[in-house]
Amino acid sequence: MFHILHINRRTLQHYIKMLVVIFGLIPGLATHSLLAQEAPNDNQEGNDNQEEIATDKSLNGLEESDGIEADQNTLGNAVRTFDQLLYDNNGQAPVTVRQVPDNQMQVQLSYAPLVKMTAPAVVNIYTKKVVRQRRSSMFDDPLFKRFFGDNFSFGMPQDRVRGSLGSGVIVRSQGIIVTNNHVIESADEITVVLSDRREYDAEIVLADPRTDIAILKINTGGEQLTALKLADSDGVEVGDIVLAIGNPFGIGQTVTGGIVSAAARTQQGISDFGFFIQTDAAVNPGNSGGALIGMKGDLLGINTAIYSRTGTSNGIGFAVPANMVASVIRAALDEGQIARPWLGIKGQSVTNDLAISLGLDRPGGVLVDDVYPDSPAANAGVTLGDVIMVVNGKEIIDQPSLNFRIATLESGASITLGILKGSDLLELSTNLTLAPESPARNVSILEGGHPFQGVTIANLNPRFNDEIQVDTFLKGVVVLKVAKRTAAGRYQFLRSGDIIHKINDNPVRNVADMISILDSNSSAEQYIYEFKRRGSVQRCIIVPNRSYRCQQIG
């Protein structure tokens, strides 16, 4: 049986004429569709064979007539047959049914119309970064200076321009472009080249390293460009045909084809929200930021990385799903910054061992280890020991897939959680919110005659923790930066990421506490302080000559 979608009536009639004259495939079609659907209810008993014979005879007669000038009434019936395949009784297009080609004509179909429609929306991106080369220490040698002096240009530091290339996708006709963050990271100049070879300077609207997505804008002078519509990437299925369009190795726009190899690939270490569409379409260096296109001409994802030991395609490529891309575009154009919604739980992926202990027949889901007070999860009734199995009807495989599902939603969105609570499966509803900013982060640089002068500190809170990518449940005072030309920088009394607990036996709960403690101990001969670094708690003592020693206490 034929399966034709998205084809106009005139083209459809043309194909039917060809099929009637050359292949003689309409009889089988009529037998399996028109006759089966239009047979009167009172004549359906055992009439299938008679109807097939009658249809064969009538179409055999048609083939023996004047070929292309076939009887238009019969041809019209055939067209109505295809209409019945394409539409239901209410005239509404049904859900797309996927099937493999079943005849030679279907095999000979081309993707060229799809490429012509989508390729103008895929651009090449070239970046430049000025890098200053370091001067060799040889030129500072006193013996060298004795013979050549200081006034010479040879060996002086020079600026070197380093270039890179990638791809991008126009997602708004006004000149809004999506690419990978690693394509434009640290670039001093960004040039966008359209498929018709026109060049534009681009500016960064928003860059998000955690998703490896960046939003660019070019000034088109009011011209409307071809833009791609973002698909609902949750509808992607393994086996779907896809096209990858990009600029591999800088050779120019290139189209490759393949299928979706996996629709929810996690644990790849590519970005914080590791949830990717895997494809075997050839993706190579330079394809980063390019388009992964579905058969409807919409954007399924942004090609981001490949799995390769040689740096070239091995048939394993990864694309950031369009739903995640949409959330970054929304943040860039509407809010101006990334502000992801928050569920308010800390958990771990359910492994096979955990699944056995929980009485599950397979690993999957997220075991809740802690719930933040007054968070969306707490308000929904999620408690310690629950297992989150489903979010809005989508299975949760592990922690990264839960992070992805939450990150693609907006603050205020209503969600439904499928929870295993003990031996009961429950559905709980709640509204997502932004993570709380309490206490205020209060970023401060310490000053005074104490050994911590020049250290930048801040209060931890769930939203700030998420920004600096630490556990959202951590509380206290964190070290953000240590100035190099200070005692703390030279002797490394503290390092970025340390969480300070006590100074001279006084607990440090917030920035104000720490400043007050240091001010009251400005004349102290020694400082004893405790802090947490990389999961272990250390206790250190600083004596007047600025020497110090530490021991691990937890």
Side-chain angles (χ1 to χ4, degrees), residues 134-142 144:
R134 296 183 61 182
R135 173 173 169 164
S136 173
S137 59
M138 175 187 71
F139 300 108
D140 295 324
D141 186 270
F144 186 91

Side-chain angles (χ1 to χ4, degrees), residues 30 91 93 144 150 167 175 218 226 231 248 319 381 386 416 459 496 509 529 542:
F144 186 91
D150 292 326
S167 305
I218 60 175
T226 300
D386 291 349
T416 301
N459 291 323
S496 177
R509 293 179 293 267
Y529 62 102
I542 304 173

Side-chain angles (χ1 to χ4, degrees), residues 212-234:
D212 199 16
I213 293 293
I215 310 298
L216 309 179
K217 181 176 177 58
I218 60 175
N219 184 3
T220 64
E223 179 184 354
Q224 299 294 299
L225 303 177
T226 300
L228 291 186
K229 179 182 177 182
L230 273 66
D232 179 3
S233 53
D234 285 342

Side-chain angles (χ1 to χ4, degrees), residues 36-54:
Q37 294 180 22
E38 292 190 349
N41 292 334
D42 55 350
N43 291 327
Q44 288 181 349
E45 297 180 359
N47 286 340
D48 290 343
N49 294 334
Q50 296 177 6
E51 289 170 336
E52 182 175 355
I53 294 172

Side-chain angles (χ1 to χ4, degrees), residues 168-494:
V169 183
I170 302 173
V171 293
R172 295 289 188 276
S173 58
Q174 299 85 357
I176 301 299
I177 297 169
V178 173
T179 186
N180 283 137
N181 178 71
H182 73 260
V183 171
I184 53 88
E185 191 172 21
S186 303
D188 296 314
E189 296 180 23
I190 303 173
T191 302
V192 170
V193 182
L194 304 185
S195 60
D196 59 9
R197 300 178 299 283
R198 286 183 292 169
E199 296 187 6
Y200 295 89
D201 292 332
E203 62 180 18
I204 300 174
V205 180
L206 187 146
D208 183 24
R210 300 186 66 182
T211 59
D212 199 16
I213 293 293
I215 310 298
L216 309 179
K217 181 176 177 58
I218 60 175
N219 184 3
T220 64
E223 179 184 354
Q224 299 294 299
L225 303 177
T226 300
L228 291 186
K229 179 182 177 182
L230 273 66
D232 179 3
S233 53
D234 285 342
V236 174
E237 295 185 10
V238 175
D240 285 354
I241 298 175
V242 292
L243 300 180
I245 308 178
N247 179 28
F249 301 108
I251 63 175
Q253 192 175 87
T254 302
V255 181
T256 57
I259 64 169
V260 173
S261 306
R265 188 67 74 197
T266 62
Q267 307 291 351
Q268 300 306 312
I270 301 170
S271 70
D272 289 350
F273 300 95
F275 194 91
F276 298 92
I277 299 172
Q278 181 182 327
T279 177
D280 67 349
V283 176
N284 288 289
N287 275 107
S288 290
L292 187 69
I293 303 295
M295 290 297 98
K296 294 182 180 179
D298 45 10
L299 183 66
L300 298 180
I302 296 296
N303 296 319
T304 298
I306 59 175
Y307 185 87
S308 174
R309 295 181 179 178
T310 62
T312 57
S313 176
N314 280 340
I316 304 176
F318 301 99
V320 178
N323 287 356
M324 178 60 79
V325 176
S327 70
V328 180
I329 295 174
R330 182 172 60 245
L333 302 185
D334 297 341
E335 293 121 24
Q337 61 180 355
I338 297 289
R340 295 186 174 90
W342 185 61
L343 184 59
I345 66 107
K346 180 164 64 174
Q348 58 179 310
S349 301
V350 175
T351 62
N352 188 60
D353 290 339
L354 281 175
I356 293 173
S357 65
L358 293 168
L360 300 176
D361 61 350
R362 73 197 71 179
V366 173
L367 176 64
V368 177
D369 294 330
D370 201 357
V371 181
Y372 201 88
D374 200 30
S375 64
N379 294 336
V382 178
T383 57
L384 179 68
D386 291 349
V387 180
I388 301 177
M389 310 289 289
V390 176
V391 172
N392 285 348
K394 303 297 182 182
E395 181 185 8
I396 299 302
I397 303 171
D398 50 22
Q399 182 72 55
S401 64
L402 175 61
N403 295 342
F404 172 83
R405 292 298 172 194
I406 300 302
T408 56
L409 300 173
E410 297 183 66
S411 175
S414 176
I415 65 168
T416 301
L417 304 175
I419 300 290
L420 177 66
K421 187 181 287 288
S423 58
D424 298 325
L425 290 173
L426 305 176
E427 281 194 353
L428 306 178
S429 297
T430 189
N431 293 322
L432 296 176
T433 63
L434 295 178
E437 182 89 33
S438 178
R441 58 188 70 182
N442 191 18
V443 178
S444 304
I445 300 176
L446 298 177
E447 297 177 352
H450 49 73
F452 304 109
Q453 179 185 7
V455 176
T456 303
I457 59 175
N459 291 323
L460 292 171
N461 62 58
R463 191 180 305 181
F464 185 49
N465 294 4
D466 183 66
E467 291 179 14
I468 63 177
Q469 300 179 46
V470 300
D471 183 359
T472 56
F473 283 59
L474 287 177
K475 299 178 181 179
V477 175
V478 64
V479 176
L480 299 179
K481 184 179 179 181
V482 180
K484 293 182 179 179
R485 296 184 178 181
T486 62
R490 287 194 300 270
Y491 299 107
Q492 295 187 339
F493 295 149
L494 292 170

Side-chain angles (χ1 to χ4, degrees), residues 22-248:
I22 301 173
F23 296 98
L25 294 178
I26 295 299
L29 174 66
T31 300
H32 292 93
S33 60
L34 179 63
L35 296 179
Q37 294 180 22
E38 292 190 349
N41 292 334
D42 55 350
N43 291 327
Q44 288 181 349
E45 297 180 359
N47 286 340
D48 290 343
N49 294 334
Q50 296 177 6
E51 289 170 336
E52 182 175 355
I53 294 172
T55 306
D56 288 343
K57 288 181 179 179
S58 63
L59 289 175
N60 286 336
L62 175 66
E63 293 174 353
E64 294 172 0
S65 63
D66 294 331
I68 293 295
E69 302 298 329
D71 177 62
Q72 294 300 314
N73 291 330
T74 305
L75 186 60
N77 290 334
V79 173
R80 285 192 294 274
T81 301
F82 278 90
D83 286 343
Q84 291 175 351
L85 287 174
L86 296 175
Y87 300 97
D88 59 24
N89 294 331
N90 295 323
Q92 300 295 321
V95 177
T96 301
V97 178
R98 295 170 171 85
Q99 70 177 57
V100 297
D102 59 6
N103 61 68
Q104 184 64 25
M105 173 163 275
Q106 290 185 357
V107 173
Q108 292 175 345
L109 295 176
S110 172
Y111 297 125
L114 181 63
V115 174
K116 290 179 181 178
M117 178 176 66
T118 58
V122 182
V123 302
N124 299 339
I125 296 177
Y126 299 91
T127 66
K128 293 180 181 179
K129 179 182 179 182
V130 178
V131 180
R132 170 154 290 194
Q133 293 179 315
R134 296 183 61 182
R135 173 173 169 164
S136 173
S137 59
M138 175 187 71
F139 300 108
D140 295 324
D141 186 270
L143 182 62
F144 186 91
K145 289 184 177 182
R146 178 178 179 182
F147 286 98
F148 297 98
D150 292 326
N151 299 322
F152 61 92
S153 59
F154 181 73
M156 293 295 291
Q158 295 181 352
D159 290 340
R160 179 181 177 184
V161 177
R162 179 181 298 171
S164 64
L165 57 89
S167 305
V169 183
I170 302 173
V171 293
R172 295 289 188 276
S173 58
Q174 299 85 357
I176 301 299
I177 297 169
V178 173
T179 186
N180 283 137
N181 178 71
H182 73 260
V183 171
I184 53 88
E185 191 172 21
S186 303
D188 296 314
E189 296 180 23
I190 303 173
T191 302
V192 170
V193 182
L194 304 185
S195 60
D196 59 9
R197 300 178 299 283
R198 286 183 292 169
E199 296 187 6
Y200 295 89
D201 292 332
E203 62 180 18
I204 300 174
V205 180
L206 187 146
D208 183 24
R210 300 186 66 182
T211 59
D212 199 16
I213 293 293
I215 310 298
L216 309 179
K217 181 176 177 58
I218 60 175
N219 184 3
T220 64
E223 179 184 354
Q224 299 294 299
L225 303 177
T226 300
L228 291 186
K229 179 182 177 182
L230 273 66
D232 179 3
S233 53
D234 285 342
V236 174
E237 295 185 10
V238 175
D240 285 354
I241 298 175
V242 292
L243 300 180
I245 308 178
N247 179 28

